[in-house]
Amino acid sequence: MNKKSHKPTLLSIISSPLFLAVPVTLLIILFLPNPVSRYKVVLVDKHRAEKEKSRVTYCDLAGDSIDERIIQFHNVLKGTASIKVMTGKGYNYGQWNFPGHFKDGLYNSFACFDLNHDGYKEIYVFYHIDDSVFMGAFQPCPNEDYLFKKKFITTVWKRDNTCDYYTPSYKSADLNGDGIDELIVLFKAGYSRQPRFIFSYDLAHDVITKSPSSGAALSGMKITDLNNDHIPEIFVNTTTPENIPDNMGIPFSDYFSWFMGFDNNLRFLFQPVKRTGSPGVTRVIPLKGKTGKKFVAIISKDTATQKLAFTDSSFEITKEIDLTQLFNTKDVSFITVMNINGGDYLLFIVDNERFVLLDENFNITRKGESLPDIGFKFKEDINNDRNPEYIFLDEDRNLVIYDENLKNPVVVDVNLPAFSSFYESFGIKHNGRNQQNEIYVKTKDRVYYYSYLPDPWYYLKYPLWLGLYGFIVLILWFAQRLQQLNQRKKREVEEKLTTLQMKTIKNHMDPHFTFNVLNGLAGNIAKGNLDEAQIQIVRFGRLLQGLMKKRDTIYVTLDEELNFIRNYLELERLRFKENFEYTIDIDDNVNLMFQIPSMFIQILVENSLKHGLKRKPGVKKVLVSLREDKEKITVIVEDNGIGREAAKKSLFRTGSGLALLEDMIFLNSKLKGNEISFEYVDLFDNKGNPAGTRVIIEIKLESD
C-alpha cells in the first residue's frame, strides 16, 4: 500500500491564508498611525499677528484662569512704547502707550503681577527715553486704569548711541511683611557696564529700593525663605561677559562668576563668593529635601570643571562635588528641578544621551533618554493633569515636549528661522480650569496654537495590528472555502439565465407582431408606398439583426437596448400611421454604456402597446425617458392607454412579460448584485378617468 505524501508544496504555503495575510496586513499598517509617543501635538489654530514686529505673551489678568493676550510693540505712528491687551479669543481690551522706547532683545519689557492681591494683575512696563530708564504701570481689569506712566529708575551708559540695558528677570514677594508684595526686578547693563543691580518697588508706599551696583553680570534670580522666618532671601545667577576688569575699581568683576545673595532690604546677605573664572557661570537653585528642610544648590561651571555645592541658612557651603568627575564627562548640563515624592531633585542631561537626577546627597537616578543638542526652556502643566511637562528647543529650532517622567518626546515642528529674534516667542496659553491649555508660537508675523493630547493609537496599535492580521486570515480562509461554492452557484445562475434568454427571444418573436409588420408591409406595397415599405423592411431587418445578436448574450448596453426599442417603435408607428407617437428622452449625463439585462426595457414598452394602447381609440403615445444621478439610473416607460384596470379585463392578457421581467430582476441580483426595482403608477385625467400607466424603473449603481 502506497502512502500518500502530505508534505506541503511551495504553492500550498504561498496560498495559505496565514502567509497571504502577512503582506496584506503590513501594507495596511503602512497607512495606519504608528505613534512612538503616548502623546501627540495638534495644530488647532493660527492667525496673523496683530502687530508684525511685536512680542506676544499670555497671562491671566482677570483671575478667571483664562489667559489674556498681551502684545508688546513699538508704536511708530505715536512714537511710543505700547502694550495692547486682548482676550484669548481676540477681543480688544485696550492699548496703553508710554512716552519712550522698549529695549530690543530676548526679554519682555513688562511683567504681570497682582501685588495688592485684589484678584486682578497689574502690568509693569519698562522703557527708556534717551539714557534714562522709566517704569510705567496699568491695570487692564476691571477698570483699565493707568497706575502711573513715568517713574524714573536709573540712567544707563550708552553704547553706539543706544541705551544699553536689560531686565531679564521679574519676581514678586512680600519683602516687608505688610501683606502686600513688592515687585523685584533684575537690572543688567551690557557692554555699557553700569549699572547692574536689583531693585524692588513697593506699590503700597510708592517706594523704590535698590541693591548696591557691582560689576557682577546678573542673569537671573530666585527667591526663597531658607530659615522659615517669613522674610525672603534673594539669590542671583551670574555670568562672565568680561566687561569690567578689576582695575576699574568696581567691586565683583564680571571676569568671575559669584555666589551672591540679598536680604529683604536688598543688602548683601554675605560677602559674595568667587566661584569660577572666565568663561563661566554660577547658578543658584532653591530646593527642599524629603524631610522638608530648605537649602540652596550652587552650580558653577567653567571650561575645566563643573561643581555642585549646597548651603543652608548659614550661607556656608556644607558639601561640594565635582560633577565632571561624578559623571566622568565634561558634557553635563543642568536643566531644572523635579519634585518626586515631596523631595526636590536636580535634573541634568549627561553627554546629550540621558537624563540624570541628583538628590541632595549626590545620589544618581537615571530617568530616560534625551535627544541630542536640545536646550531646556521651561516646564509647565500643558494638559491639566497636575504634572509638569518639560519643553526643550532642539537644534532645528523645533519644540520638543517630554512628559512628567521625561519620556515620550513629541516634536512641535515649528522650525523657526530666527528664534533668537526679539519678535519670536513661545509659551503656554491657559484656557480655563476645565479647558485644554495650548502651546503658542509667535513668529515675526504669525501666531500658531497647538494642543498637547494623549494619543490613543499608542496603546491600541499593537492589539489592532494583531487583530487586523487575525481578521485578514479569517477573511482569506472563508474566501478560499467559499470560492468553489460561489463558482458553483454562479454556474447555476448562468444556466438559468441562458434558459431565460431563450424564453425572452421566443417572447420577442411574437407571431402577432411579426404578422402585423408583414401585413403592413404587404399593404404598403399594394398601395404603391414603396418608400415606406422600404423603410419598414430596413427597420424590421435591424430588429431581427438585434434579436439575433442578443441570442448569445444576457446583458446589453443601454445604447443597444434603446436602438432596439427605437426600431420596434418605429415599426409600430408605420403601422398605426398618424395615430401613434413615441418619444425617447435621454439626459446628457446618462452612461449609455451601462449594461442591463437584454430586452428588460423592451418588455415594458411592448406591454404598453399590447395591453395599454391596443384598444385605445385616438392617438396612442409612448414615452421612454432616462435619468441618472450618483446612486441610480431611472427609466420611465409611460403610455396614455386604457389603464391597468381595463387591461386586466382583456381576454388576451397572459402576464408572461411581467413574469420574465421579475425572473430577470431576481437572477440579475444573483449574478451582478446591483438592485433593480420597478413601480407601476396609474394615471388619471382631471375628471378621474384612467389616462394611462407609468412604470418607474430604478437601477442602483455600484458605489465607488
Side-chain angles (χ1 to χ4, degrees):
M1 180 177 178
N2 294 329
K3 294 182 179 181
K4 295 183 179 179
S5 174
H6 295 281
K7 184 177 180 180
T9 63
L10 179 61
L11 181 60
S12 63
I13 293 175
I14 294 175
S15 62
S16 167
L18 293 174
F19 181 86
L20 293 175
V22 172
V24 176
T25 304
L26 292 177
L27 182 62
I28 295 175
I29 287 175
L30 290 176
F31 295 95
L32 293 177
N34 183 22
V36 296
S37 172
R38 291 167 48 199
Y39 298 93
K40 63 181 179 178
V41 173
V42 179
L43 178 66
V44 294
D45 192 16
K46 62 180 178 179
H47 61 76
R48 293 191 64 84
E50 287 78 6
K51 305 292 183 180
E52 182 173 328
K53 294 184 178 181
S54 63
R55 285 182 68 84
V56 172
T57 302
Y58 281 87
C59 183
D60 178 15
L61 301 176
D64 57 1
S65 299
I66 300 175
D67 285 353
E68 279 70 39
R69 189 189 311 170
I70 305 170
I71 305 164
Q72 170 189 329
F73 66 100
H74 298 287
N75 193 326
V76 179
L77 295 178
K78 294 185 177 182
T80 59
S82 299
I83 299 289
K84 185 176 183 179
V85 179
M86 308 180 73
T87 67
K89 294 183 178 180
Y91 300 111
N92 193 13
Y93 262 120
Q95 180 173 308
W96 287 261
N97 303 309
F98 298 89
H101 301 278
F102 288 128
K103 172 62 179 174
D104 287 342
L106 301 179
Y107 310 110
N108 285 338
S109 295
F110 64 90
C112 305
F113 291 103
D114 181 14
L115 298 185
N116 57 7
H117 302 293
D118 66 350
Y120 300 96
K121 289 183 179 178
E122 310 88 50
I123 298 181
Y124 297 87
V125 180
F126 298 88
Y127 62 95
H128 64 273
I129 303 173
D130 194 27
D131 64 348
S132 298
V133 178
F134 296 89
M135 177 173 64
F138 63 96
Q139 191 173 43
C141 308
N143 299 320
E144 304 180 8
D145 292 335
Y146 281 100
L147 302 182
F148 51 85
K149 296 189 71 171
K150 191 176 180 183
K151 192 174 295 294
F152 176 76
I153 301 298
T154 187
T155 57
V156 183
W157 298 356
K158 298 184 72 172
R159 174 184 170 84
D160 297 331
N161 204 32
T162 300
C163 193
D164 182 25
Y165 73 98
Y166 301 96
T167 52
S169 184
Y170 309 95
K171 301 291 181 181
S172 69
D174 183 5
L175 297 179
N176 56 15
D178 63 354
I180 298 178
D181 286 357
E182 281 73 48
L183 172 67
I184 307 165
V185 182
L186 188 151
F187 195 92
K188 172 185 176 182
Y191 289 106
S192 58
R193 300 175 179 173
Q194 285 292 294
R196 298 175 180 180
F197 57 84
I198 60 175
F199 72 90
S200 67
Y201 173 63
D202 184 347
L203 177 64
H205 302 93
D206 194 24
V207 174
I208 293 177
T209 303
K210 299 180 183 179
S211 70
S213 185
S214 68
L218 313 180
S219 61
M221 61 180 170
K222 300 292 176 63
I223 299 177
T224 186
D225 180 10
L226 282 181
N227 56 8
N228 295 314
D229 62 355
H230 305 294
I231 299 176
E233 295 86 34
I234 304 169
F235 295 92
V236 293
N237 301 333
T238 59
T239 60
T240 58
E242 299 184 346
N243 290 325
I244 302 178
D246 283 334
N247 59 15
M248 287 189 67
I250 300 175
F252 314 119
S253 164
D254 66 0
Y255 278 68
F256 304 94
S257 68
W258 303 83
F259 171 42
M260 185 177 290
F262 302 88
D263 64 14
N264 61 322
N265 294 311
L266 304 188
R267 295 173 299 197
F268 286 122
L269 283 166
F270 50 86
Q271 182 69 15
V273 179
K274 186 185 298 183
R275 292 293 294 172
T276 70
S278 180
V281 60
T282 292
R283 304 179 67 173
V284 183
I285 306 102
L287 301 170
K288 184 175 69 171
K290 295 180 180 179
T291 62
K293 180 182 178 181
K294 295 179 180 179
F295 53 96
V296 168
I298 308 162
I299 302 175
S300 303
K301 181 179 182 180
D302 58 21
T303 55
T305 61
Q306 183 169 185
K307 294 182 179 181
L308 170 63
F310 292 101
T311 186
D312 53 21
S313 58
S314 67
F315 308 120
E316 300 233 352
I317 293 177
T318 56
K319 45 189 173 182
E320 187 170 10
I321 193 171
D322 190 336
L323 294 176
T324 58
Q325 294 181 6
L326 179 65
F327 296 121
N328 196 28
T329 178
K330 291 184 178 181
D331 194 357
V332 181
S333 300
F334 171 71
I335 301 300
T336 187
V337 176
M338 289 187 68
N339 186 275
I340 302 176
N341 299 325
D344 288 338
Y345 290 77
L346 297 170
L347 175 63
F348 295 89
I349 288 183
V350 179
D351 288 330
N352 280 329
E353 292 180 353
R354 64 188 186 278
F355 290 116
V356 174
L357 287 176
L358 205 62
D359 67 10
E360 57 191 290
N361 297 313
F362 306 118
N363 295 318
I364 300 174
T365 303
R366 299 176 186 273
K367 288 296 295 183
E369 300 302 314
S370 69
L371 292 178
D373 299 323
I374 57 180
F376 176 71
K377 290 302 175 183
F378 61 92
K379 64 179 179 180
E380 182 86 20
D381 181 8
I382 305 175
N383 54 4
N384 285 340
D385 65 353
R386 298 184 180 179
N387 294 307
E389 281 71 45
Y390 297 83
I391 294 89
F392 297 80
L393 190 66
D394 68 13
E395 59 181 350
D396 295 323
R397 302 186 184 278
N398 297 317
L399 296 180
V400 183
I401 305 173
Y402 285 81
D403 65 13
E404 68 274 12
N405 296 312
L406 296 169
K407 296 181 179 179
N408 300 293
V410 179
V411 177
V412 186
D413 188 11
V414 291
N415 193 24
L416 293 176
F419 225 131
S420 59
S421 167
F422 171 77
Y423 306 113
E424 316 292 343
S425 57
F426 62 87
I428 303 301
K429 173 189 174 187
H430 301 89
N431 294 323
R433 294 182 181 87
N434 300 318
Q435 299 294 323
Q436 176 70 40
N437 296 334
E438 295 173 0
I439 305 160
Y440 71 86
V441 178
K442 162 69 171 58
T443 65
K444 185 176 181 181
D445 58 353
R446 290 190 177 274
V447 184
Y448 301 86
Y449 301 89
Y450 302 87
S451 282
Y452 176 77
L453 305 167
D455 192 341
W457 283 106
Y458 180 77
Y459 292 109
L460 293 176
K461 61 180 180 180
Y462 297 115
L464 176 65
W465 294 350
L466 184 61
L468 179 64
Y469 173 74
F471 180 70
I472 293 174
V473 168
L474 189 63
I475 289 177
L476 293 175
W477 184 83
F478 273 111
Q480 289 182 349
R481 295 297 181 272
L482 294 176
Q483 185 177 16
Q484 291 182 346
L485 178 62
N486 289 336
Q487 289 178 346
R488 185 168 62 252
K489 288 183 177 180
K490 184 177 179 180
R491 285 195 298 270
E492 292 175 356
V493 171
E494 288 175 346
E495 289 174 359
K496 290 180 181 179
L497 281 173
T498 302
T499 303
L500 180 62
Q501 175 189 10
M502 300 309 297
K503 290 182 179 179
T504 305
I505 293 175
K506 181 179 179 181
N507 183 70
H508 294 153
M509 293 299 291
D510 180 14
H512 294 287
F513 172 74
T514 305
F515 175 78
N516 288 335
V517 171
L518 294 176
N519 191 38
L521 178 63
N524 282 325
I525 293 174
K527 294 177 182 179
N529 298 329
L530 298 182
D531 290 339
E532 188 170 332
Q534 183 180 4
I535 292 173
Q536 278 184 298
I537 293 172
V538 171
R539 291 287 183 184
F540 190 60
R542 289 177 180 174
L543 194 69
L544 292 177
Q545 182 182 15
L547 206 58
M548 294 301 102
K549 183 178 179 181
K550 295 178 182 211
R551 183 179 60 181
D552 298 324
T553 182
I554 298 298
Y555 289 93
V556 296
T557 65
L558 282 172
D559 188 54
E560 292 172 332
E561 180 78 353
L562 292 173
N563 284 333
F564 187 87
I565 291 171
R566 193 174 284 108
N567 288 322
Y568 173 78
L569 291 174
E570 193 62 30
L571 287 171
E572 292 289 7
R573 188 182 65 81
L574 292 172
R575 179 164 70 94
F576 287 113
K577 303 298 183 185
E578 66 276 358
N579 288 331
F580 182 73
E581 298 177 5
Y582 75 88
T583 303
I584 298 178
D585 182 22
I586 306 169
D587 270 3
D588 294 337
N589 65 329
V590 175
N591 178 17
L592 295 178
M593 293 297 103
F594 184 80
Q595 290 191 333
I596 61 171
S598 177
M599 295 297 183
F600 187 77
I601 303 176
Q602 167 65 20
I603 291 175
L604 294 170
V605 173
E606 191 172 341
N607 279 348
S608 292
L609 289 166
K610 283 183 179 181
H611 306 297
L613 299 174
K614 185 175 182 179
R615 292 185 295 151
K616 174 184 170 53
V619 178
K620 302 170 177 58
K621 296 181 180 180
V622 174
L623 166 67
V624 179
S625 67
L626 277 78
R627 305 288 183 267
E628 181 177 344
D629 56 32
K630 293 181 179 180
E631 298 180 353
K632 61 183 180 298
I633 293 177
T634 302
V635 182
I636 296 176
V637 178
E638 182 178 320
D639 63 63
N640 66 337
I642 62 176
R644 290 193 298 162
E645 289 299 323
K648 287 180 181 179
K649 300 175 183 179
S650 172
L651 296 176
F652 301 100
R653 176 175 173 82
T654 63
S656 59
L658 289 179
L660 286 174
L661 194 66
E662 291 172 353
D663 288 343
M664 282 186 182
I665 292 174
F666 176 76
L667 294 176
N668 174 78
S669 66
K670 291 285 187 180
L671 190 61
K672 299 197 73 173
N674 59 326
E675 295 183 19
I676 301 177
S677 62
F678 66 94
E679 174 189 4
Y680 278 94
V681 179
D682 295 317
L683 304 178
F684 300 91
D685 59 18
N686 294 333
K687 297 180 180 180
N689 298 319
T693 304
R694 179 186 298 133
V695 184
I696 303 173
I697 307 164
E698 290 186 349
I699 306 170
K700 287 191 176 181
L701 301 175
E702 294 183 2
S703 59
D704 294 336

